[in-house]
Amino acid sequence: SHPGLISPEDAALAAERGICLEITTRKGHALANGHVAKTALAAGAKLVVNNDAHAPGDLVSPEMARRIALGAGLTEEQFGQCLRNSEELVKNALAN
């Protein structure tokens, strides 16, 4: 889930446990995305870009998701890694 104002210690714990932290595209929840990105990257934690949709109007296009990730301070390569992390999560979920 979107961790908001996550502490460096919690981000390090997420990294240690292989937990992905979320850059969210949901309005309001996205206000801490820059902090999440910076803290997660410093700790070596994996990131995903996710929607956290509560209603159809919350869904965004892939291009908007990209813009939100870049606006949070990620590079194009880091955004690509977020997409690969998401694919890995789905594959693991389907395998279990």
Side-chain angles (χ1 to χ4, degrees):
S1 69
H2 48 89
L5 297 176
I6 190 168
S7 71
E9 295 79 17
D10 286 341
L13 186 59
E16 179 184 313
R17 294 186 178 178
I19 295 170
C20 294
L21 299 176
E22 179 188 27
I23 300 297
T24 183
T25 64
R26 183 163 163 73
K27 297 174 201 162
H29 294 188
L31 295 175
N33 279 345
H35 171 78
V36 172
K38 179 180 174 183
T39 306
L41 292 171
K46 292 181 181 181
L47 287 166
V48 294
V49 177
N50 197 15
N51 189 259
D52 190 26
H54 293 212
D58 294 332
L59 298 172
V60 300
S61 69
E63 177 56 25
M64 180 57 79
R66 179 184 155 276
R67 283 197 221 152
I68 290 168
L70 297 179
L74 299 183
T75 65
E76 291 282 355
E77 175 53 36
Q78 289 166 330
F79 174 63
Q81 185 60 56
C82 287
L83 297 178
R84 292 187 292 277
N85 291 341
S86 292
E87 290 173 8
E88 184 178 327
L89 284 173
V90 172
K91 286 180 187 174
N92 288 343
L94 292 174
N96 292 324

